[in-house]
Amino acid sequence: MSNNNVQRLPAEQLFQKEIDTLIANEKYSVPTGWRMSPRSVLTYICGGSCGGMEITPKYIGHERLVEIAISTLVTDRALLLIGEPGTAKSWLSEHLTAAINGNSTRVIQGTAGTTEEQIKYSWNYAMLIASGPSKEAMIPSPVYRAMEEGAIARVEEISRCASEVQDALISILSEKRISVPELGIEVPARKGFSVIATANTRDKGVNEMSAALKRRFNIVVLPSPESLEAEMEIVKTRIAQLSESLDLSAKLPEGEVVEKVCTIFRELRAGATLDGKQKLKTTTGVLSTAEAISLLANSMALAGSFGNGDITDYDLAAGLQGAVVKEDEKDQKVWEEYLENIMKKRGSRWLSLYKECKELNR
Amino acid sequence: MERHPFVFGIRHLSPAGAYYVRDFLDRADPELVLIEGPADFTDLIEDLGAEEVKPPVAVMAYTKELPIRTILYPFAEYSPEYQALLWAKEHGRRCRFCDLPSQVFLGMRAAKEAKEGALPAQEGQQAAEREADQSQGGSRTEEFDVYRALDSQCQDKDHETFWERTMEQAGDAAGYEAGAREFGRSLRQMEQRGARDYAENLVREAYMRRQIEDAVKEGTTPEKIAVITGAYHIEGILGSDLPMTDKEEKALPRLESMKTLMPYSYYRLSEHSGYGAGNRAPAYYEYLWKGLLRKEPDYGARRYLTGLASFQRNHGGLVSSAEVLEAARLSQALAELHDGRIPALRDLRDAAVTCMGHGSFSELALAAADTEIGTRIGSLPGGVSQTSIQSDFYEKLKDLKLEKYKSVTAAELSLDLRENLRVKTKKSAFLDLERSFFLHRLRVLGIQFASIQSVRQDNATWAEQWSLRWTPEAEIQIVEAVLKGDTVEQAAAFELKNKLEENQSIARIAEIVEQAFYCGMPVMVSAALEHLQAMAVDGAGVTELADTAGSLSVVIQYGDIRRLDRRPLIPILSQLFLRACLILPQECACDDGAAGPLASAVSRLQTVSVAHDFLDRERFLDVLGQIAARDDLNTRLSGLAASILLEQGVMDSEELGREVERRLSRGIPAELGAGWFAGLSSRNHYALIARLTLWEKLSGYLDELDQEEFKRALLFLRRAFADFSSMEKNQIAENLGEIWQVNPEQVSEVLGGTLTEDAMEMLEGLEDFDFGDI
């Protein structure tokens, strides 16, 4: 299977060149089990230049939080990234492992159906029944493999797992070993082993993490982008990367379009206009930066497939309607209020977008 | 100068600077130590270096004339200047301050303000403190901020952290010295030439060069002089520019000033952060200083993290030792990411938030404030240079056993003004009373050391509740009060006297009498009384007379608790009361707007008349009788008078019934009737509710009205009953129900039920009622 046909390449392949350059130009000492120094990891994530190559920033704003995250992993503590939906938790966790281990695929996706076996190990039952427990019949989990290899495992959406499954991690993180009583062995973690978990603060249907588990993590809270400018930059960078990989045949959205989308999202998220003068109702769903990105990508797809390649206000309005009005009628009213009270009064620059939105929101 | 003195560049409040400056002085072995700081502060060096002085302390210079301008020069134990002067004292070397005298700083500021347009006094004060900080060098104007520019160039995006990593953690004296020199040089380069502060810096440097030259002329060789100055000024002092000439020196603007020492607080030091000399975390810097003394570079870090943890534990938080260890490791890793050997404050705080605070700073905010800023305040021994009023203040604190309240955290103090019969000496028997006098005097002077808690009501009792909190601001206010007198008592007397002369209204003067009385100053009381008597002869309105009588009445009633002779007050109160009685009826002919204040004046007079036997009560009731009976006065006031009479038992139910009938009879405009009723009901609701005759009459009155009149009356009655609680309204309704012979259950059913739409509509219709003709 050629790489070109894969819908989404893992980070380490997508940015292989950058990683290779960083490794080739390493100047600082590299911790055991890592492929590059903490400082290079920081450069990889927050951008910079190395060996004559421009490293694209993967995470924009809050560089200090990235520093804290990397330092946590240096001290072989487990890292827990907490934040609202769409604040680039998984994104950051993927890139951290890509840079540190060159492998971001040791992932456990936390769901309500995740079992303890998926965290530790499970069995190839045919072999187990045929020839009894053996190393060959065991299927190690990503965490198990990470321990053996001295690498970092990722646990996504840890708060979606049932509490008893979450707690399986406690012994792993404190003992740093997995015992397999069936085989009478114990696998100690090699140096460099750690876990990056992500958890959501606002979604419904999450299980509160136990204090015991929280204590085993260093917690970094990822906030929404600080300013409109920061958010716009994030959106622009990601859109450019996305349109490359998705082959969207539309032009990249202009600055003004990005600004409008980010403004609307920020205002509805914060429940107040950007200048803080007017209060607004907020929507039931979280309007995250990630959604702004997908909204624009969607609009680009619309424009590319059915329009002339330029994102029109019509395309944008369709996307906005879908993003803002998600669940119930309440959202529709919030959106209508926003249109009438805020957008309509913003003057000519917003007028045509307002008209299109209004048309759709009937 | 061809041969240069030794110059050591510092930053104020820098532990490493304070530590290495001693190293430097040991090496340089100077005969004369010159320290950046107003030259006229030199004679305070002896006092500053005294053993009993516990920093933080500050030198304060203040103008002798109003508006008072002040300059503050704070020193912490880890101030390089402080350590330098201690070194000079220990080694028996001469030591001087060498910057422009405080008079010139104050003069320049006054000139600047005059140029920029006068500032209100309060803002002036703020500017003053900023100024003192600017002595660090480096200009900060609206458009250009050297330190912000610096921030953007630092790896940490924060010049404080940059300073801590490079300078505080320099590791040896040579490194610190070289670093400071480079830092100062870069600051100078970045600074926008032509800025006003830049010019000021040049003037200061010229003056400092002049001081050095003077020292050389006195016979000290330049090699035997050490100059301790802000890193910024190194180049300026060693540069080739000429020292200030005599003529130039004479031309500097000056304002006469005085100076004093005062205790200072870490809290106040921390407020100045961001002004170059900022010391964001004084308590943490003290740990750094202790770490240097112990030669344990990571002492500060350890102390900080354990300090946070123990604060959290003491306040119910759960912090395990494991978490502290993790935080220490994480902070180390963060420091290494920035080439640091040991963590800076920023690393420590971020690590603590991540490991102990579950990722959110708010969990640790209080602990961080406590550990970073701390609550330390400095202290000065008796006898060092202080203003007389400061000494008096501290003596009084000691005398009144209030010393433990000298703390930056607010503490409550309850006073019982009565004589304590269980103690032997007279002094301790009245200790609380003396305390109250003292605190009230401070209040008169506007010194924010004590604030009285539960607001004193009209009937003051023997208990007082105070909240006490010492702040450097309070100390500054005390120093400022020195212009008013040498002791707290004198200053308070001066202040009251001033107020007395400024005020022409008798109510204000009565307030002063009251204040003087609370302050326990009998001489002041009688002075104020004389004033009052002179004024009372002249025309004053009833409201003013009533306020005055109220104030005096309180003093007379509760005077004995403060052991004060009240006899001189009695004739004045009688005089005021009589006058009020005489002019009351004619003043009652007024519009509704004036009736409000007048009504409270009448009530107040009533309270006063009940409280004192010597007042002519008969006359007062007589006057009220007149007001109640007359038809040409404001009906509301007539109603009020009637209610007082009713309350006092002068008017009986029968008379009331007659009065109601008369006031509410047909033909009298509805608003007048309703106004009267509002006055009647304004005092004692229960006395009215209990009188069934009244309600009968009211019911009868309403029956007589036609549709339009009823609407009008309804509006006014609604207003009159607005003050009644819903319970009271229910009782009225029951009363009416009884008159209309409806059973009580039915009444409450109707009242409890929701309004019908018709009724709602009708009520809304009332809102549109045309008031044009009222």
Side-chain angles (χ1 to χ4, degrees), chain B residues 685-697:
Chain B
H685 295 174
Y686 275 100
L688 291 181
I689 292 168
R691 286 190 162 76
L692 205 57
T693 41
L694 172 70
W695 303 105
E696 270 169 23
K697 299 283 193 266

Side-chain angles (χ1 to χ4, degrees), chain B residues 187-340:
Chain B
L187 264 188
R188 274 180 105 83
Q189 275 179 0
M190 279 166 74
E191 183 153 271
Q192 216 178 24
R193 306 220 157 207
R196 191 179 178 89
D197 292 310
Y198 180 73
E200 190 180 305
N201 279 323
L202 290 185
V203 174
R204 291 171 56 195
E205 283 158 9
Y207 189 85
M208 288 193 245
R209 281 197 298 275
R210 177 187 161 92
Q211 293 281 312
I212 296 167
E213 201 189 51
D214 283 352
V216 174
K217 276 187 201 149
E218 283 165 21
T220 320
T221 53
E223 294 84 12
K224 286 287 165 194
I225 301 176
V227 185
I228 314 296
T229 178
Y232 178 92
H233 298 299
I234 302 176
E235 280 204 348
I237 288 171
L238 293 180
S240 52
D241 292 344
L242 291 172
M244 189 179 280
T245 61
D246 287 349
K247 199 176 142 202
E248 283 166 344
E249 201 245 0
K250 283 226 172 65
L252 290 169
R254 273 165 212 274
L255 268 184
E256 215 177 330
S257 75
M258 310 270 282
K259 55 191 182 290
T260 179
L261 285 178
M262 59 176 271
Y264 214 66
S265 71
Y266 273 178
Y267 179 71
R268 174 104 176 176
L269 272 183
S270 73
E271 285 177 329
H272 286 274
S273 56
Y275 286 107
N279 198 200
R280 226 176 263 183
Y284 169 72
Y285 270 51
E286 189 187 307
Y287 300 149
L288 291 185
W289 164 244
K290 288 197 177 129
L292 284 163
L293 292 182
R294 291 160 162 249
K295 303 204 188 305
E296 294 174 36
D298 56 348
Y299 174 80
R302 276 184 283 138
R303 187 69 189 69
Y304 176 82
L305 290 174
T306 47
L308 276 183
S310 64
F311 182 95
Q312 283 297 81
R313 288 185 198 128
N314 288 339
H315 292 77
L318 241 172
V319 176
S320 67
S321 303
E323 283 170 319
V324 180
L325 278 173
E326 289 307 334
R329 287 174 62 201
L330 179 56
S331 64
Q332 187 66 37
L334 279 170
E336 277 161 16
L337 210 51
H338 287 279
D339 292 327

